Amino acid sequence: MKTEYKCQYCNVSYLLEIDDEGWEEWQSGELIQVALPDLKAWERELMLSGTCDNCWKEFFGEEDGE
């Protein structure tokens, strides 16, 4: 399924392609990284916290090794 998520800080919208089965697993309590491994880490973060990758990097900087 395609689902739109909006960053709560910059109001930019992102359309994410989410596996239906993985979505159900996540909603049933599975860890998001286990239920939706095909999503990028920043996409999962957007779903969890409402913070896009650009805003995350602005607030916290970039991680070493990425």
Side-chain angles (χ1 to χ4, degrees):
M1 77 177 133
K2 291 187 179 188
T3 306
E4 183 178 7
Y5 286 88
K6 183 183 279 190
C7 177
Q8 65 176 328
Y9 299 102
C10 66
N11 292 316
V12 173
S13 293
Y14 297 88
L15 189 61
L16 304 181
E17 182 75 38
I18 300 171
D19 177 70
D20 293 337
E21 186 177 320
W23 171 263
E24 291 297 326
E25 291 174 10
W26 179 47
Q27 294 301 300
S28 295
E30 184 61 80
L31 295 173
I32 194 169
Q33 64 268 30
V34 173
L36 298 167
D38 293 338
L39 291 179
K40 296 175 182 159
W42 74 264
E43 293 171 321
R44 294 190 300 262
E45 186 61 43
L46 178 63
M47 293 173 65
L48 289 168
S49 70
T51 308
C52 74
D53 196 42
N54 292 330
C55 289
W56 184 269
K57 288 175 181 174
E58 183 179 328
F59 299 148
F60 303 108
E62 294 193 39
E63 290 186 35
D64 293 338
E66 281 199 19

